[in-house]
Amino acid sequence: MSSEVRAPRMRDEPSIAHLDADAFFASVEQAQRPSLRGRPVLVGGTGPRGVVAAASYEARSAGVRSAMSMATARRLCPQATVVVPRFDAYSAFSARIMAALREVTDAVEPLSIDEAFADLRALTPGPDGWPGVARALRERAVDLAGVPVSVGMGRSKLVAKLASAAAKPAGVVVVDPAEEDAFLLPMRVRSLWGVGPVSAERLERIGVRTVADLRAQPLDTLTMVLGEAAGTGLFRVARGWDDRPVAETRERKSAGAEHTFESDLHGRAQVAAQVPAVAEQALARLERHGGAARTVTVKVRFAGFSTVSRSVTLPSPTADAAALVEAAGRALDLVDLTEPVRLLGVSFHGLSEHAQLMLDLPAGALGAGRADAAPDGPAADAPWTAPTTPDGEDTAEVRPVARRRRGRLRHDDAVPGLDVTHPEHGRGWVVRARDDGRVAIRFETAATGPGRQVVVDPEVDHVELVGALGPDGTEVAPPVEDADPSA
């Protein structure tokens, strides 16, 4: 009986917004590389077993999707330009997008690097009503970040998120409570978070294809077919019942742990033996705050209470525990341990919800990934939270995109998409490394307009690997690199 589930108290205005950047990684690449605008762009691993992290709309029109193997994507769209992810650039653009939301409310709940909810209940709409608020919010985000975004608004997080999906690309959809049924009921159930392939197949067997079909099902039928949690959750979703608040959060910048020993440790072997245990505590906290990190810092306090910290920065964010613990060991190697040690700490910085988007797929997985597959699960708990990493991604093999992102360019470092500078040609980006030992580079920025491609010899031409530019055209501050033990 439907009376077994009570309707929550819902707000009477569409004052929850969901802002979502469109094809975010690829859009940043097109914004910063003028020659890529209007052309298909794939962001991801460039090797034979690479994964697509993002595809521009031009590439999507050819059937390419995120989390697809790069080999499959290249077959579908052979004219696409492939570049590796640049998280320093994406983080800078993300900060501008989130700033647009925080200009109007403190109640902002980021879901990932490129999307967030915002509670705008405290605002008083102008003559254009809530649609005017949504348009102004979208325009401000585009003005600050320079990449396309879509905004959806509704009286719940459920409807706001579905509305932003309906607004893509670069649009606005506001669903008034009075129009909610007209918006929800025609939708395919596969559009709902929590309805994955298995759930969709089970619902198909009982004739449920749309949200209207779903609403027509009694609660006991849904719980029998899907289980108690999932069935109850979808019973609520079908009626637009979602009273979850926007959880105001600020980006956490680090996660770590430290331990003071009962007696001082003497010598490198004793201290190094404690790194895994302290790192394990830090990893547990990392999992609750982003899941991935790029910089690992070790803190050592000596018996005389002097303290030293050393850091190691990885080529890209990773959630791989072994890689992070190994990096902590490397950071400890930079510390002079001639004095007794009373405290050891391990912390992770440069936190991200996107871990190793450029990694290779495991053997045999080529062509198996899918971008639109939402996992089945208990819809009652968190059915509408977007995944923060591509479906089908496997981090069993950790292979960074490049070994170095700073210093003089070498042929082995010349991965497509990396930022470089040349004393004569200025800033540009690596197009490809040629078999003859030379490197093709296109020299251009957002400010210069489309640039020309030049082939250089890294052994002769002095080309430097540099950091990415932010939306304002200034170089993003580099992360803390491997520390100099003499510093």
Side-chain angles (χ1 to χ4, degrees), residues 345-372:
V346 174
S347 59
F348 304 112
H349 306 262
L351 305 192
S352 171
E353 295 180 343
H354 293 263
Q356 299 293 348
L357 292 179
M358 69 295 293
L359 299 182
D360 286 345
L361 284 167
L366 287 180
R370 53 179 292 134
D372 56 350

PDB file of all heavy atoms in Angstrom, residues 345-372:
ATOM      1  N   GLY A 345      53.957  11.932  10.968  1.00  0.00           N
ATOM      2  CA  GLY A 345      52.672  12.214  10.334  1.00  0.00           C
ATOM      3  C   GLY A 345      52.721  11.982   8.842  1.00  0.00           C
ATOM      4  O   GLY A 345      53.779  12.141   8.220  1.00  0.00           O
ATOM      5  N   VAL A 346      51.583  11.601   8.279  1.00  0.00           N
ATOM      6  CA  VAL A 346      51.431  11.446   6.832  1.00  0.00           C
ATOM      7  C   VAL A 346      50.151  12.172   6.440  1.00  0.00           C
ATOM      8  O   VAL A 346      49.095  11.965   7.050  1.00  0.00           O
ATOM      9  CB  VAL A 346      51.336   9.970   6.407  1.00  0.00           C
ATOM     10  CG1 VAL A 346      51.040   9.860   4.905  1.00  0.00           C
ATOM     11  CG2 VAL A 346      52.621   9.227   6.746  1.00  0.00           C
ATOM     12  N   SER A 347      50.236  13.037   5.450  1.00  0.00           N
ATOM     13  CA  SER A 347      49.042  13.758   4.987  1.00  0.00           C
ATOM     14  C   SER A 347      48.997  13.788   3.475  1.00  0.00           C
ATOM     15  O   SER A 347      50.021  13.722   2.803  1.00  0.00           O
ATOM     16  CB  SER A 347      49.003  15.177   5.552  1.00  0.00           C
ATOM     17  OG  SER A 347      50.153  15.910   5.174  1.00  0.00           O
ATOM     18  N   PHE A 348      47.756  13.881   2.959  1.00  0.00           N
ATOM     19  CA  PHE A 348      47.532  13.890   1.521  1.00  0.00           C
ATOM     20  C   PHE A 348      46.915  15.224   1.131  1.00  0.00           C
ATOM     21  O   PHE A 348      45.990  15.722   1.785  1.00  0.00           O
ATOM     22  CB  PHE A 348      46.600  12.746   1.121  1.00  0.00           C
ATOM     23  CG  PHE A 348      47.101  11.399   1.550  1.00  0.00           C
ATOM     24  CD1 PHE A 348      46.446  10.675   2.524  1.00  0.00           C
ATOM     25  CD2 PHE A 348      48.256  10.874   0.993  1.00  0.00           C
ATOM     26  CE1 PHE A 348      46.914   9.439   2.925  1.00  0.00           C
ATOM     27  CE2 PHE A 348      48.734   9.639   1.385  1.00  0.00           C
ATOM     28  CZ  PHE A 348      48.064   8.915   2.368  1.00  0.00           C
ATOM     29  N   HIS A 349      47.412  15.799   0.046  1.00  0.00           N
ATOM     30  CA  HIS A 349      46.975  17.111  -0.408  1.00  0.00           C
ATOM     31  C   HIS A 349      46.623  17.063  -1.894  1.00  0.00           C
ATOM     32  O   HIS A 349      46.889  16.085  -2.567  1.00  0.00           O
ATOM     33  CB  HIS A 349      48.089  18.139  -0.174  1.00  0.00           C
ATOM     34  CG  HIS A 349      48.575  18.168   1.244  1.00  0.00           C
ATOM     35  ND1 HIS A 349      48.142  19.081   2.168  1.00  0.00           N
ATOM     36  CD2 HIS A 349      49.448  17.344   1.898  1.00  0.00           C
ATOM     37  CE1 HIS A 349      48.735  18.845   3.341  1.00  0.00           C
ATOM     38  NE2 HIS A 349      49.527  17.800   3.197  1.00  0.00           N
ATOM     39  N   GLY A 350      46.041  18.146  -2.391  1.00  0.00           N
ATOM     40  CA  GLY A 350      45.577  18.149  -3.774  1.00  0.00           C
ATOM     41  C   GLY A 350      44.484  17.127  -3.967  1.00  0.00           C
ATOM     42  O   GLY A 350      44.496  16.339  -4.913  1.00  0.00           O
ATOM     43  N   LEU A 351      43.519  17.128  -3.021  1.00  0.00           N
ATOM     44  CA  LEU A 351      42.476  16.106  -3.037  1.00  0.00           C
ATOM     45  C   LEU A 351      41.583  16.256  -4.251  1.00  0.00           C
ATOM     46  O   LEU A 351      41.319  17.347  -4.738  1.00  0.00           O
ATOM     47  CB  LEU A 351      41.629  16.182  -1.768  1.00  0.00           C
ATOM     48  CG  LEU A 351      42.383  16.098  -0.441  1.00  0.00           C
ATOM     49  CD1 LEU A 351      41.393  15.888   0.699  1.00  0.00           C
ATOM     50  CD2 LEU A 351      43.428  14.999  -0.453  1.00  0.00           C
ATOM     51  N   SER A 352      41.108  15.120  -4.734  1.00  0.00           N
ATOM     52  CA  SER A 352      40.269  15.095  -5.927  1.00  0.00           C
ATOM     53  C   SER A 352      39.343  13.913  -5.849  1.00  0.00           C
ATOM     54  O   SER A 352      39.668  12.882  -5.265  1.00  0.00           O
ATOM     55  CB  SER A 352      41.137  14.991  -7.186  1.00  0.00           C
ATOM     56  OG  SER A 352      40.340  14.752  -8.324  1.00  0.00           O
ATOM     57  N   GLU A 353      38.141  14.068  -6.468  1.00  0.00           N
ATOM     58  CA  GLU A 353      37.237  12.939  -6.602  1.00  0.00           C
ATOM     59  C   GLU A 353      37.478  12.203  -7.920  1.00  0.00           C
ATOM     60  O   GLU A 353      36.842  11.195  -8.188  1.00  0.00           O
ATOM     61  CB  GLU A 353      35.788  13.422  -6.543  1.00  0.00           C
ATOM     62  CG  GLU A 353      35.438  14.006  -5.188  1.00  0.00           C
ATOM     63  CD  GLU A 353      34.002  14.476  -5.145  1.00  0.00           C
ATOM     64  OE1 GLU A 353      33.396  14.638  -6.209  1.00  0.00           O
ATOM     65  OE2 GLU A 353      33.511  14.707  -4.041  1.00  0.00           O
ATOM     66  N   HIS A 354      38.390  12.728  -8.711  1.00  0.00           N
ATOM     67  CA  HIS A 354      38.707  12.095  -9.997  1.00  0.00           C
ATOM     68  C   HIS A 354      40.090  11.472  -9.896  1.00  0.00           C
ATOM     69  O   HIS A 354      41.084  12.159  -9.938  1.00  0.00           O
ATOM     70  CB  HIS A 354      38.681  13.120 -11.129  1.00  0.00           C
ATOM     71  CG  HIS A 354      37.305  13.647 -11.371  1.00  0.00           C
ATOM     72  ND1 HIS A 354      36.495  13.165 -12.340  1.00  0.00           N
ATOM     73  CD2 HIS A 354      36.593  14.603 -10.722  1.00  0.00           C
ATOM     74  CE1 HIS A 354      35.342  13.797 -12.330  1.00  0.00           C
ATOM     75  NE2 HIS A 354      35.380  14.676 -11.347  1.00  0.00           N
ATOM     76  N   ALA A 355      40.131  10.190  -9.740  1.00  0.00           N
ATOM     77  CA  ALA A 355      41.403   9.520  -9.543  1.00  0.00           C
ATOM     78  C   ALA A 355      41.816   8.766 -10.786  1.00  0.00           C
ATOM     79  O   ALA A 355      41.093   7.910 -11.286  1.00  0.00           O
ATOM     80  CB  ALA A 355      41.301   8.540  -8.373  1.00  0.00           C
ATOM     81  N   GLN A 356      42.990   9.112 -11.323  1.00  0.00           N
ATOM     82  CA  GLN A 356      43.596   8.351 -12.412  1.00  0.00           C
ATOM     83  C   GLN A 356      42.651   8.170 -13.598  1.00  0.00           C
ATOM     84  O   GLN A 356      42.478   7.092 -14.117  1.00  0.00           O
ATOM     85  CB  GLN A 356      44.036   6.972 -11.890  1.00  0.00           C
ATOM     86  CG  GLN A 356      45.069   7.039 -10.781  1.00  0.00           C
ATOM     87  CD  GLN A 356      46.411   7.580 -11.242  1.00  0.00           C
ATOM     88  OE1 GLN A 356      46.636   7.699 -12.430  1.00  0.00           O
ATOM     89  NE2 GLN A 356      47.275   7.902 -10.324  1.00  0.00           N
ATOM     90  N   LEU A 357      42.040   9.263 -14.041  1.00  0.00           N
ATOM     91  CA  LEU A 357      41.153   9.160 -15.183  1.00  0.00           C
ATOM     92  C   LEU A 357      41.902   8.789 -16.452  1.00  0.00           C
ATOM     93  O   LEU A 357      41.307   8.406 -17.444  1.00  0.00           O
ATOM     94  CB  LEU A 357      40.425  10.489 -15.391  1.00  0.00           C
ATOM     95  CG  LEU A 357      39.431  10.857 -14.296  1.00  0.00           C
ATOM     96  CD1 LEU A 357      38.807  12.206 -14.629  1.00  0.00           C
ATOM     97  CD2 LEU A 357      38.354   9.816 -14.153  1.00  0.00           C
ATOM     98  N   MET A 358      43.233   8.900 -16.412  1.00  0.00           N
ATOM     99  CA  MET A 358      44.012   8.614 -17.603  1.00  0.00           C
ATOM    100  C   MET A 358      44.634   7.220 -17.564  1.00  0.00           C
ATOM    101  O   MET A 358      45.440   6.881 -18.378  1.00  0.00           O
ATOM    102  CB  MET A 358      45.131   9.651 -17.756  1.00  0.00           C
ATOM    103  CG  MET A 358      46.225   9.545 -16.703  1.00  0.00           C
ATOM    104  SD  MET A 358      45.634   9.893 -15.035  1.00  0.00           S
ATOM    105  CE  MET A 358      45.265  11.610 -15.191  1.00  0.00           C
ATOM    106  N   LEU A 359      44.212   6.393 -16.641  1.00  0.00           N
ATOM    107  CA  LEU A 359      44.829   5.086 -16.501  1.00  0.00           C
ATOM    108  C   LEU A 359      44.432   4.155 -17.634  1.00  0.00           C
ATOM    109  O   LEU A 359      43.426   4.345 -18.299  1.00  0.00           O
ATOM    110  CB  LEU A 359      44.419   4.452 -15.174  1.00  0.00           C
ATOM    111  CG  LEU A 359      44.845   5.237 -13.945  1.00  0.00           C
ATOM    112  CD1 LEU A 359      44.432   4.496 -12.706  1.00  0.00           C
ATOM    113  CD2 LEU A 359      46.336   5.471 -13.953  1.00  0.00           C
ATOM    114  N   ASP A 360      45.214   3.108 -17.794  1.00  0.00           N
ATOM    115  CA  ASP A 360      44.906   2.092 -18.780  1.00  0.00           C
ATOM    116  C   ASP A 360      43.833   1.163 -18.247  1.00  0.00           C
ATOM    117  O   ASP A 360      43.706   0.946 -17.051  1.00  0.00           O
ATOM    118  CB  ASP A 360      46.156   1.248 -19.080  1.00  0.00           C
ATOM    119  CG  ASP A 360      47.146   2.023 -19.919  1.00  0.00           C
ATOM    120  OD1 ASP A 360      46.746   3.056 -20.484  1.00  0.00           O
ATOM    121  OD2 ASP A 360      48.305   1.597 -19.983  1.00  0.00           O
ATOM    122  N   LEU A 361      43.072   0.584 -19.175  1.00  0.00           N
ATOM    123  CA  LEU A 361      42.143  -0.464 -18.805  1.00  0.00           C
ATOM    124  C   LEU A 361      42.913  -1.755 -18.574  1.00  0.00           C
ATOM    125  O   LEU A 361      43.958  -1.993 -19.177  1.00  0.00           O
ATOM    126  CB  LEU A 361      41.141  -0.699 -19.934  1.00  0.00           C
ATOM    127  CG  LEU A 361      40.025   0.333 -20.089  1.00  0.00           C
ATOM    128  CD1 LEU A 361      39.336   0.112 -21.426  1.00  0.00           C
ATOM    129  CD2 LEU A 361      39.035   0.200 -18.962  1.00  0.00           C
ATOM    130  N   PRO A 362      42.397  -2.654 -17.734  1.00  0.00           N
ATOM    131  CA  PRO A 362      43.031  -3.950 -17.597  1.00  0.00           C
ATOM    132  C   PRO A 362      42.863  -4.750 -18.878  1.00  0.00           C
ATOM    133  O   PRO A 362      41.970  -4.490 -19.683  1.00  0.00           O
ATOM    134  CB  PRO A 362      42.257  -4.599 -16.436  1.00  0.00           C
ATOM    135  CG  PRO A 362      40.942  -3.911 -16.431  1.00  0.00           C
ATOM    136  CD  PRO A 362      41.212  -2.507 -16.888  1.00  0.00           C
ATOM    137  N   ALA A 363      43.735  -5.734 -19.046  1.00  0.00           N
ATOM    138  CA  ALA A 363      43.694  -6.547 -20.249  1.00  0.00           C
ATOM    139  C   ALA A 363      42.320  -7.171 -20.423  1.00  0.00           C
ATOM    140  O   ALA A 363      41.697  -7.636 -19.482  1.00  0.00           O
ATOM    141  CB  ALA A 363      44.769  -7.645 -20.160  1.00  0.00           C
ATOM    142  N   GLY A 364      41.848  -7.158 -21.665  1.00  0.00           N
ATOM    143  CA  GLY A 364      40.568  -7.776 -21.966  1.00  0.00           C
ATOM    144  C   GLY A 364      39.383  -6.867 -21.798  1.00  0.00           C
ATOM    145  O   GLY A 364      38.259  -7.247 -22.096  1.00  0.00           O
ATOM    146  N   ALA A 365      39.598  -5.640 -21.314  1.00  0.00           N
ATOM    147  CA  ALA A 365      38.465  -4.758 -21.053  1.00  0.00           C
ATOM    148  C   ALA A 365      38.209  -3.768 -22.168  1.00  0.00           C
ATOM    149  O   ALA A 365      37.320  -2.955 -22.062  1.00  0.00           O
ATOM    150  CB  ALA A 365      38.694  -3.998 -19.748  1.00  0.00           C
ATOM    151  N   LEU A 366      38.981  -3.815 -23.241  1.00  0.00           N
ATOM    152  CA  LEU A 366      38.813  -2.852 -24.311  1.00  0.00           C
ATOM    153  C   LEU A 366      37.396  -2.925 -24.870  1.00  0.00           C
ATOM    154  O   LEU A 366      36.872  -3.979 -25.172  1.00  0.00           O
ATOM    155  CB  LEU A 366      39.818  -3.135 -25.446  1.00  0.00           C
ATOM    156  CG  LEU A 366      41.264  -2.763 -25.137  1.00  0.00           C
ATOM    157  CD1 LEU A 366      42.143  -3.099 -26.321  1.00  0.00           C
ATOM    158  CD2 LEU A 366      41.395  -1.294 -24.795  1.00  0.00           C
ATOM    159  N   GLY A 367      36.796  -1.744 -24.968  1.00  0.00           N
ATOM    160  CA  GLY A 367      35.463  -1.665 -25.537  1.00  0.00           C
ATOM    161  C   GLY A 367      34.362  -1.986 -24.559  1.00  0.00           C
ATOM    162  O   GLY A 367      33.194  -1.955 -24.895  1.00  0.00           O
ATOM    163  N   ALA A 368      34.712  -2.322 -23.308  1.00  0.00           N
ATOM    164  CA  ALA A 368      33.696  -2.762 -22.371  1.00  0.00           C
ATOM    165  C   ALA A 368      33.099  -1.642 -21.557  1.00  0.00           C
ATOM    166  O   ALA A 368      32.060  -1.797 -20.960  1.00  0.00           O
ATOM    167  CB  ALA A 368      34.292  -3.811 -21.424  1.00  0.00           C
ATOM    168  N   GLY A 369      33.782  -0.492 -21.489  1.00  0.00           N
ATOM    169  CA  GLY A 369      33.299   0.591 -20.640  1.00  0.00           C
ATOM    170  C   GLY A 369      32.060   1.240 -21.207  1.00  0.00           C
ATOM    171  O   GLY A 369      31.820   1.228 -22.396  1.00  0.00           O
ATOM    172  N   ARG A 370      31.232   1.823 -20.293  1.00  0.00           N
ATOM    173  CA  ARG A 370      30.081   2.573 -20.746  1.00  0.00           C
ATOM    174  C   ARG A 370      29.924   3.781 -19.862  1.00  0.00           C
ATOM    175  O   ARG A 370      30.143   3.724 -18.666  1.00  0.00           O
ATOM    176  CB  ARG A 370      28.803   1.737 -20.759  1.00  0.00           C
ATOM    177  CG  ARG A 370      28.455   1.025 -19.484  1.00  0.00           C
ATOM    178  CD  ARG A 370      27.148   0.254 -19.617  1.00  0.00           C
ATOM    179  NE  ARG A 370      26.020   1.150 -19.752  1.00  0.00           N
ATOM    180  CZ  ARG A 370      25.073   0.996 -20.649  1.00  0.00           C
ATOM    181  NH1 ARG A 370      25.136   0.017 -21.503  1.00  0.00           N
ATOM    182  NH2 ARG A 370      24.067   1.836 -20.713  1.00  0.00           N
ATOM    183  N   ALA A 371      29.536   4.890 -20.464  1.00  0.00           N
ATOM    184  CA  ALA A 371      29.445   6.140 -19.727  1.00  0.00           C
ATOM    185  C   ALA A 371      28.100   6.332 -19.085  1.00  0.00           C
ATOM    186  O   ALA A 371      27.969   7.041 -18.109  1.00  0.00           O
ATOM    187  CB  ALA A 371      29.719   7.308 -20.671  1.00  0.00           C
ATOM    188  N   ASP A 372      27.060   5.707 -19.646  1.00  0.00           N
ATOM    189  CA  ASP A 372      25.726   6.028 -19.191  1.00  0.00           C
ATOM    190  C   ASP A 372      25.171   4.983 -18.244  1.00  0.00           C
ATOM    191  O   ASP A 372      23.979   4.946 -17.989  1.00  0.00           O
ATOM    192  CB  ASP A 372      24.788   6.167 -20.396  1.00  0.00           C
ATOM    193  CG  ASP A 372      24.788   4.923 -21.263  1.00  0.00           C
ATOM    194  OD1 ASP A 372      25.649   4.061 -21.032  1.00  0.00           O
ATOM    195  OD2 ASP A 372      23.937   4.827 -22.157  1.00  0.00           O
TER     196      ASP A 372
END
